[in-house]
């Protein structure tokens, strides 16, 4: 009997010891490196909370928005990409980043339908959505404006009577596309790029006419437009939902948000998109897959999604969290959601990189008087087709 007990005790001792040793040998979670854009939402508080909850450390690499894309492409050529990137969804079209396909079971079942359709590039899911919106709206200073202008004609009248000014990032194509959207065009139809269109001709003509208006300094770049608005030098600015937190903190209840102005009764149509976490250099096939999945689950979790508005003034991608926001009657939330009314989903196809470049080249030549609006639209189409053809020729086996 004593011998049997000794054997049993010895067995339990060995089993416990093996279990302890296995647990002791379990490696600590690997740290993650995540790249983000400086001017976008401040995700740092979320990463801090994530580390506190899971023990997984996150090193954040921040880039200026204007250089984020070029920095990522440079790192891709040097095999020095981070484990994850938080970027607007159209970055998923950058094939050079070699993004991992995201498994369906990594995505929350509560994603808003608009978001679910905006996380694919060429039919493949390449990002985990975190927030959505990323659209342009009209911000105004309530200390200078009692009733916001609803049309460009009203803006002109306010400028003439009250010397009120407006600014936006005039040479940035994301802004120009909102003006183009007034004329109801799609840049990509059935997989083909369409830039040489009557809509483009009309938009070019209108955009150039605005350059001559007294209310606008077209040489004022992105940071300049932000600083002018914060300093009260302009009454209006067109900027994105990502700037709401900064503007709101500065102006408090003096910040106004409205729809983009109409032209002859037609609304401007900004793009909207999601901010997603994507995984470059096939990161999901690497050793940090488990940690990246844990981060993906955390960012999509209901507690995080519910607190996105209070933490970074961003709209959640979880429909339950968005509904909870709506019923709170927060004026700013209602304004942000209302300004999505005329917004359109931004294509994530790889062609968009060439489209932005072609539109900029055509627009700048038109503004300089080198090309008229018809020639500029035709030039854009020529440039984009040439760029796409060249890219296809570079691919192996082509």
């Amino acid at each position: 009997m004593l011998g049997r007990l000794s054997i049993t005790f010895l067995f339990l001792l060995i089993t416990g010891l093996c279990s302890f040793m296995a647990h002791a040998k379990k490696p600590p979670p690997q740290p993650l490196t995540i790249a983000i854009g400086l001017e976008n939402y401040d995700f740092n508080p979320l990463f801090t909370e994530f580390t506190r909850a899971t023990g997984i450390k996150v090193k954040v690499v921040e880039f200026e928005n204007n250089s984020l894309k070029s920095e990522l492409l440079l790192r891709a050529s040097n095999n020095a990409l981070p484990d994850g990137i938080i970027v607007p969804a159209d970055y998923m079209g950058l094939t050079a980043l070699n993004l991992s396909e995201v498994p369906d079971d990594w995505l929350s079942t509560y994603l808003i339908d608009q978001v679910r359709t905006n996380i694919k590039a060429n039919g493949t899911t390449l990002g985990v959505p975190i927030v959505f919106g990323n659209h342009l709206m009209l911000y105004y200073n309530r200390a200078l404006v009692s009733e916001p202008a609803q049309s460009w004609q009203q803006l002109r009248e306010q400028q003439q009577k009250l010397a009120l000014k407006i600014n936006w990032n005039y040479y940035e194509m994301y802004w120009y596309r909102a003006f183009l959207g007034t004329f109801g065009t799609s840049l990509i139809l059935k997989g083909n790029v369409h830039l040489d269109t009557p809509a483009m001709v009309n938009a070019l003509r209108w955009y150039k006419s605005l350059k001559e208006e007294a209310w606008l300094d077209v040489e004022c770049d992105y940071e300049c437009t932000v600083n002018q608005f914060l300093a009260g030098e302009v009454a209006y600015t067109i900027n994105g939902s990502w700037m709401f937190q900064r503007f709101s903190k500065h102006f408090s209840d003096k910040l106004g948000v409205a729809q983009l102005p109409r032209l002859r009764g037609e609304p401007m149509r900004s793009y909207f998109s999601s901010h997603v976490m994507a995984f470059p250099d096939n990161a999901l096939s690497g050793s940090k897959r488990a940690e990246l999945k844990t981060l993906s689950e955390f960012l999509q979790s209901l507690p995080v999604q519910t607190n996105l508005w209070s933490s970074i003034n961003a709209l959640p991608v979880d429909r339950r969290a968005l509904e909870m926001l709506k019923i709170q009657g927060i004026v700013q939330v209602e304004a942000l959601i209302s300004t999505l009314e005329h917004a359109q989903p931004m294509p994530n196809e790889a062609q968009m990189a060439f489209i932005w470049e072609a539109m900029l080249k055509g627009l700048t030549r038109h503004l300089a008087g080198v090309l008229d609006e018809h020639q500029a639209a035709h030039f854009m189409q020529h440039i984009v087709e040439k760029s796409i053809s060249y890219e296809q020729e570079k691919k192996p086996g082509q």
Side-chain angles (χ1 to χ4, degrees):
M1 181 70 177
L2 183 60
R4 191 177 300 167
L5 285 173
S6 298
I7 294 173
T8 303
F9 176 75
L10 185 61
F11 173 77
L12 292 174
L13 181 64
I14 293 173
T15 303
L17 185 60
C18 289
S19 176
F20 172 78
M21 290 177 67
H23 181 74
K25 288 182 179 179
K26 185 179 179 180
Q30 298 186 73
L32 298 174
T33 301
I34 308 293
I36 62 176
L38 269 174
E39 287 89 11
N40 292 328
Y41 307 99
D42 182 10
F43 292 104
N44 284 288
L46 295 182
F47 293 135
T48 300
E49 178 59 31
F50 172 72
T51 299
R52 187 182 300 117
T54 65
I56 301 173
K57 295 180 179 179
V58 177
K59 178 185 178 183
V60 179
V61 182
E62 298 179 320
F63 298 106
E64 297 287 342
N65 270 23
N66 290 339
S67 62
L68 175 59
K69 189 173 294 185
S70 59
E71 284 285 350
L72 291 175
L73 293 174
L74 178 62
R75 285 172 175 245
S77 64
N78 294 330
N79 296 316
L81 284 163
D83 303 309
I85 54 177
I86 293 183
V87 291
D90 65 301
Y91 276 56
M92 296 189 301
L94 299 174
T95 54
L97 298 182
N98 213 9
L99 299 177
S100 287
E101 181 175 354
V102 176
D104 288 340
D105 60 5
W106 279 37
L107 301 175
S108 167
T109 56
Y110 296 98
L111 288 181
I112 296 167
D113 290 338
Q114 286 173 293
V115 172
R116 193 174 289 278
T117 60
N118 190 234
I119 55 174
K120 293 180 182 290
N122 301 313
T124 303
T125 302
L126 297 175
V128 174
I130 305 169
V131 299
F132 91 113
N134 208 30
H135 56 297
L136 298 175
M137 61 192 75
L138 184 67
Y139 292 100
Y140 63 97
N141 185 338
R142 290 182 182 273
L144 303 175
V145 179
S146 55
E147 285 294 329
Q150 297 181 24
S151 68
W152 287 96
Q153 180 59 36
Q154 288 180 3
L155 271 171
R156 183 175 289 109
E157 292 169 357
Q158 289 185 357
Q159 196 281 322
Q160 292 170 348
K161 294 178 182 178
L162 306 171
L164 298 184
K165 293 185 177 182
I166 184 173
N167 68 23
W168 67 90
N169 198 3
Y170 188 80
Y171 287 103
E172 174 56 52
M173 292 301 95
Y174 192 72
W175 274 253
Y176 171 69
R177 168 52 185 74
F179 289 81
L180 173 62
T182 304
F183 300 95
T185 185
S186 295
L187 298 180
I188 300 176
L189 289 172
K190 297 181 179 178
N192 297 313
V193 177
H194 288 266
L195 300 184
D196 191 1
T197 62
M200 184 67 76
V201 169
N202 288 328
L204 286 166
R205 186 183 297 124
W206 176 35
Y207 208 63
K208 187 175 183 180
S209 73
L210 291 173
K211 184 182 178 185
E212 310 305 324
E213 295 284 356
W215 63 47
L216 182 64
D217 175 9
V218 297
E219 300 304 325
C220 191
D221 63 11
Y222 183 84
E223 277 304 312
C224 171
T225 62
V226 170
N227 291 333
Q228 281 188 352
F229 185 60
L230 292 173
E233 296 172 13
V234 295
Y236 295 97
T237 190
I238 297 175
N239 212 314
S241 58
W242 59 86
M243 283 300 296
F244 182 88
Q245 184 179 35
R246 183 174 174 186
F247 287 159
S248 182
K249 188 177 294 184
H250 179 85
F251 288 103
S252 188
D253 61 351
K254 295 299 181 183
L255 178 67
V257 177
Q259 294 279 10
L260 295 173
R262 289 174 172 264
L263 178 69
R264 294 190 290 273
E266 293 298 324
M268 293 177 64
R269 295 184 182 276
S270 168
Y271 275 150
F272 78 84
S273 73
S274 309
H275 265 74
V276 302
M277 186 168 72
F279 312 99
D281 199 20
N282 277 323
L284 297 190
S285 299
S287 62
K288 298 184 181 181
R289 179 185 174 93
E291 287 84 355
L292 291 169
K293 183 178 183 182
T294 301
L295 179 56
S296 298
E297 292 171 345
F298 173 83
L299 293 173
Q300 294 179 96
S301 66
L302 185 57
V304 169
Q305 288 287 310
T306 302
N307 290 324
L308 281 174
W309 177 257
S310 60
S311 61
I312 59 174
N313 289 144
L315 296 177
V317 296
D318 186 296
R319 63 173 180 266
R320 299 167 299 174
L322 188 63
E323 287 302 318
M324 281 190 273
L325 264 180
K326 287 180 179 179
I327 64 176
Q328 291 179 34
I330 303 172
V331 175
Q332 296 96 326
V333 174
E334 293 172 352
L336 279 179
I337 294 174
S338 71
T339 55
L340 278 163
E341 178 184 355
H342 303 299
Q344 299 170 321
M346 181 164 57
N348 297 326
E349 282 80 2
Q351 297 104 305
M352 283 304 298
F354 304 116
I355 288 174
W356 295 127
E357 180 184 5
M359 287 201 303
L360 178 60
K361 288 181 176 180
L363 177 63
T364 52
R365 282 165 175 76
H366 175 57
L367 295 174
V370 176
L371 302 174
D372 67 24
E373 57 267 37
H374 296 277
Q375 293 169 330
H378 185 72
F379 179 71
M380 289 177 182
Q381 187 71 33
H382 169 72
I383 288 294
V384 78
E385 289 177 357
K386 183 178 178 180
S387 298
I388 291 173
S389 176
Y390 176 73
E391 187 68 19
Q392 289 174 342
E393 289 174 0
K394 287 197 309 180
K395 292 181 180 179
Q398 294 287 321

